[in-house]
């Protein structure tokens, strides 16, 4: 996924896929994300979601290399 300098997805159609991916990662680490505002999450919860997303991206990349 390509990003421009303001950290916005370049392809607007990718937003839905990225949101689904984020929700899946949150579910895997036990964080209840809502559509829209999630500013009530702790830093630990938000970090867990981001970390899980990175882990899944690395696994997908490694599996693609095989």
């Amino acid at each position: 996924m390509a990003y421009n300098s303001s950290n916005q997805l370049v392809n607007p159609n990718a937003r839905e896929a990225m949101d689904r991916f984020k929700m899946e990662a949150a579910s895997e680490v036990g964080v209840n994300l809502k559509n829209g505002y999630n500013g009530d999450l702790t830093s630990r919860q938000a970090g867990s979601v981001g970390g899980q997303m990175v882990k899944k991206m690395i696994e997908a990349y490694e599996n693609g290399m095989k």
Side-chain angles (χ1 to χ4, degrees), residues 43-54:
S43 295
R44 176 173 278 203
Q45 289 171 315
S48 294
V49 173
Q52 183 69 8
M53 290 174 71
V54 170

Side-chain angles (χ1 to χ4, degrees), residues 21-22 25-33 38-57:
F21 180 62
K22 182 172 35 176
S27 176
E28 290 173 3
V29 294
V31 174
N32 185 25
L33 282 185
N38 284 287
D40 55 340
L41 293 178
T42 65
S43 295
R44 176 173 278 203
Q45 289 171 315
S48 294
V49 173
Q52 183 69 8
M53 290 174 71
V54 170
K55 180 180 174 185
K56 290 170 68 71
M57 285 186 258

Side-chain angles (χ1 to χ4, degrees), residues 2 5 16 18 20 22-23 45 48 53 64:
S5 62
E16 186 178 316
M18 191 59 138
R20 279 194 313 269
K22 182 172 35 176
M23 293 297 225
Q45 289 171 315
S48 294
M53 290 174 71

